[in-house]
């Protein structure tokens, strides 16, 4: 009797390509982060002193975000390829973009991350890694289909972003990859190898920060079920408000027509919002989440309401005026702020529960992906005791959000590729 079945022998050759794709995806992400962080240090720590200012000065925030809008607008306007398609029309995983677009997309993403734009790196870096893996893979190993290269690159990038392959498995399980009827784990074999390689590479070379130090959850209680449902529903309603504003903001910016003027105007508006909300409402939101949770004394209810409104407004403007970036990390920050607001209003609610439910509700509204929302909410705290409560809390929020518009203009795309890959078939 053979040790491996025919299906297993078909899957095994995909392991090495998937391993290489995962490592490469993580390295591209880490390189982008390093460049953006270096530029951020210059813009917010080095340059202000030259002008006798502080990086936290409101007028400096306006200047930097205005200049960021001008810089990104110039690249989108003048560089061939225009830094990829309209980001408001793209989800996290889309069809491969031309490789010629990759350099300009990386440049504008680094500018946005460094300049304080309220977007994360997840969408553009996933698009970049898919483009590179697809172009190289189809040429060098044509026996593996384009759809497999897409899935491996997406999984490797998601694994690197979240520091765990579990996130990639959950997200890809909601995508129609591979032939119908093929077992899920057969379809996920190669992507999971890529996701694990991406996550481990990031863990070895950097220190991914998703979980934050919060008081341990005591365990499910009857009162927590009601609190979790109410917080998650409230966060979902707030997230849906941003979702419904999204196409209207996009339409307003498209009336400007010229890409440079459109993005530069967005930069000015983001600068004004940053002056109102403070530096904590800038950037992708991960470091700012830690600052929000560690702030002593805690922010007042009024301050938290302002932070939530400003952050979501900045997210909508940034994603519709033409800046390249993702919407998951800023939405997570807004969810944390909603959870902190709930604790401020009712101090008997456990902080860990409130924060995870806030993230859960906003992500359900913004991403319309249940597994991603559950994983990201739980990852903020890293406490498995919250999972049963979250599985209850997500259900009313899902009923509220399902069937409603997504935070996307014009609908999504089916993954591109020639034919179902050996590893997905």
């Amino acid at each position: 009797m053979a040790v491996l079945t025919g299906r297993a022998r078909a899957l095994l050759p995909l392991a090495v390509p998937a391993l290489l794709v995962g490592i490469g995806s993580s390295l591209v992400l880490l390189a982008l982060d390093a460049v953006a962080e270096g530029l951020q240090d210059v813009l917010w720590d080095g340059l202000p002193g030259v002008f006798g200012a502080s990086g936290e000065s409101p007028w400096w925030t306006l200047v930097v975000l205005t200049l960021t809008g001008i810089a990104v607008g110039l690249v989108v306007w003048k560089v061939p390829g225009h830094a990829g398609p309209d980001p408001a029309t793209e989800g996290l995983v889309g069809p491969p973009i031309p490789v010629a677009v990759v350099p300009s997309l990386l440049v504008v993403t680094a500018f946005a991350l460094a300049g304080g734009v309220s977007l994360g790196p997840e969408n553009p870096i996933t698009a970049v890694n898919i483009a590179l893996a697809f172009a190289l893979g189809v040429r060098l190993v044509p026996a593996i289909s384009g759809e497999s290269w897409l899935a491996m690159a997406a999984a490797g990038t998601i694994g690197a972003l979240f520091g765990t392959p579990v996130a990639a498995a959950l997200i890809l399980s909601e995508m129609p990859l591979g032939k119908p009827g093929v077992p899920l784990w057969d379809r996920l074999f190669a992507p999971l190898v890529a996701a694990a390689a991406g996550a481990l590479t990031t863990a070895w070379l950097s220190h991914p920060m998703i979980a934050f130090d919060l008081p341990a959850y005591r365990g499910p209680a009857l009162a927590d079920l009601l609190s979790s449902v109410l917080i998650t529903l409230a966060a979902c309603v707030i997230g849906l408000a941003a979702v419904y504003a999204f196409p209207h903001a996009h339409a307003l910016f498209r009336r400007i027509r010229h890409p440079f003027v459109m993005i530069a105007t967005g930069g000015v508006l983001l600068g004004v919002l940053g002056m109102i909300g403070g530096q904590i409402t800038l950037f992708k939101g991960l470091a700012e989440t830690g600052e929000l949770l560690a702030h002593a004394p805690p922010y007042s209810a009024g301050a938290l309401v302002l932070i939530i409104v400003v952050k979501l407004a900045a997210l909508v403007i940034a994603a519709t005026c033409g800046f390249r970036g993702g919407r998951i990390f800023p939405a997570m920050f807004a969810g944390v702020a909603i959870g902190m607001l709930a604790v401020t209003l009712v101090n008997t609610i456990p902080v860990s529960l409130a924060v995870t439910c806030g993230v859960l509700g906003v992500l359900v509204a913004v991403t319309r992906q249940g597994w991603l929302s559950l994983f990201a909410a739980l990852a903020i705290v890293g406490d498995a005791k919250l999972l049963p409560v979250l599985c209850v809390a997500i259900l009313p929020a899902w009923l509220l959000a399902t069937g409603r518009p997504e935070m996307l203009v014009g609908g999504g795309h089916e993954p591109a590729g020639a034919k179902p890959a050996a590893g997905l078939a």
Side-chain angles (χ1 to χ4, degrees), residues 19-424:
L19 187 68
L20 295 175
V21 168
I23 294 171
S25 297
S26 175
L27 293 177
V28 174
L29 170 64
L30 293 175
L32 174 64
D33 277 346
V35 171
E37 287 174 6
L39 183 56
Q40 179 179 329
D41 289 341
V42 172
L43 290 175
W44 297 94
D45 297 328
L47 278 180
V50 176
F51 299 95
S54 164
E56 296 184 359
S57 301
W59 72 268
W60 185 258
T61 297
L62 178 61
V63 168
V64 171
L65 279 158
T66 299
L67 292 177
T68 300
I70 291 172
V72 172
L74 284 172
V75 174
V76 173
W77 176 32
K78 291 294 187 180
V79 174
H82 305 290
D86 181 354
T89 66
E90 296 293 308
L92 181 60
V93 180
I97 60 174
V99 175
V101 175
V102 167
S104 57
L105 181 56
L106 287 172
V107 168
V108 296
T109 302
F111 284 169
L113 290 172
V117 175
S118 290
L119 292 172
E122 59 273 18
N123 285 34
I125 198 62
T126 302
V128 165
N129 284 334
I130 287 174
L132 295 175
F134 183 88
L136 292 173
V138 169
R139 175 172 296 184
L140 298 177
V141 192
I144 301 176
S145 79
E147 188 181 41
S148 268
W149 291 113
L150 184 155
M152 289 187 287
T157 307
I158 295 166
L161 280 164
F162 289 96
T164 170
V166 176
L170 294 176
I171 292 172
L172 292 179
S173 70
E174 297 188 76
M175 295 178 58
L177 295 173
K179 294 178 180 178
V182 176
L184 175 64
W185 279 85
D186 280 6
R187 289 185 278 125
L188 291 182
F189 175 79
L192 273 177
V193 173
L200 290 172
T201 302
T202 300
W204 286 333
L205 298 180
S206 182
H207 301 285
M209 185 183 66
I210 297 293
F212 297 91
D213 186 18
L214 288 175
Y217 181 55
R218 66 192 177 217
L222 188 59
D224 293 344
L225 292 177
L226 178 60
S227 299
S228 65
V229 168
L230 292 177
I231 295 170
T232 306
L233 276 174
C236 186
V237 169
I238 294 170
L240 285 173
V243 169
Y244 275 99
F246 195 81
H248 298 290
H250 184 264
L252 285 174
F253 279 114
R254 288 310 172 275
R255 290 183 180 180
I256 298 176
R257 296 183 181 276
H258 197 288
F260 169 73
V261 180
M262 188 166 58
I263 299 174
T265 301
V268 174
L269 293 176
L270 291 176
V272 172
L273 285 173
M275 294 174 69
I276 296 170
Q279 200 169 57
I280 196 168
T281 61
L282 305 181
F283 304 102
K284 62 185 178 183
L286 272 184
E288 291 69 32
T289 294
E291 180 184 341
L292 185 66
L293 293 172
H295 196 275
Y299 284 91
S300 67
L304 287 168
V305 169
L306 180 65
I307 287 171
I308 294 164
V309 172
V310 168
K311 188 64 177 183
L312 288 176
L315 168 58
V316 170
I317 290 172
T320 56
C321 76
F323 282 107
R324 272 54 181 172
R327 302 181 276 276
I328 294 175
F329 288 118
M332 289 172 66
F333 171 86
V336 170
I338 292 170
M340 294 299 292
L341 175 60
V343 173
T344 302
L345 295 175
V346 184
N347 59 17
T348 57
I349 300 174
V351 176
S352 299
L353 177 69
V355 165
T356 53
C357 289
V359 173
L360 181 63
V362 173
L363 287 184
V364 164
V366 170
T367 70
R368 214 57 52 79
Q369 290 185 301
W371 286 125
L372 170 63
S373 302
L374 274 171
F375 170 82
L378 192 61
I380 287 285
V381 178
D383 192 339
K385 292 195 296 294
L386 285 160
L387 185 57
V389 181
L390 295 182
C391 287
V392 173
I394 192 175
L395 299 178
W398 187 263
L399 289 176
L400 177 64
T402 189
R404 298 185 186 275
E406 300 180 37
M407 190 173 268
L408 203 63
V409 174
H413 298 279
E414 292 296 324
K419 57 184 179 180
L424 299 175

